[in-house]
Amino acid sequence: MAEFLEMMEPVVIRAEKDETSDEVCERMFQMLDDDDGGSVSISEFLEMLRKVGMDMSYEEVRDLFNEYDDSRDGSIDLPEFQKMMAHQL
């Protein structure tokens, strides 16, 4: 996750000049939510990481999701994602 956050930090900082942090999170979430289902699955998250050249294991992403998946449905919705990004950045 540290690699993902390091990569995203300059993007977030640039974007926050024109958008609020919530708007930046929403845009990032929409990029991750490949099927527009309203939540991000572990596989969607892993696919985006691979697209940007990052390598996290399934177990690492699962552990991250377990930490922030308050609803325990196996995916991250927008409020959970915002909470995750607020804690990580």
Side-chain angles (χ1 to χ4, degrees):
M1 183 64 175
E3 294 170 355
F4 174 72
L5 293 173
E6 285 175 23
M7 181 194 70
M8 293 307 297
E9 189 171 13
V11 173
V12 170
I13 290 169
R14 271 196 317 269
E16 284 183 338
K17 292 179 183 176
D18 299 321
E19 298 176 285
T20 67
S21 58
D22 282 345
E23 290 170 331
V24 172
C25 270
E26 285 179 38
R27 194 158 42 84
M28 289 173 61
F29 182 82
Q30 289 170 352
M31 290 176 10
L32 290 165
D33 184 14
D34 195 41
D35 66 359
D36 294 323
S39 64
V40 175
S41 67
I42 292 172
S43 60
E44 285 175 315
F45 196 85
L46 282 168
E47 181 63 28
M48 180 57 71
L49 292 177
R50 289 186 183 112
K51 284 180 183 177
V52 297
M54 297 189 62
D55 187 34
M56 281 180 73
S57 71
Y58 178 89
E59 291 76 20
E60 289 172 313
V61 174
R62 184 194 61 216
D63 290 346
L64 177 68
F65 273 44
N66 284 340
E67 186 174 343
Y68 293 100
D69 181 13
D70 296 333
S71 62
R72 298 290 179 230
D73 63 358
S75 61
I76 300 289
D77 61 22
L78 181 57
E80 293 165 340
F81 182 75
Q82 289 170 322
K83 181 179 170 184
M84 179 176 75
M85 295 306 292
H87 287 148
Q88 299 294 328
L89 286 177

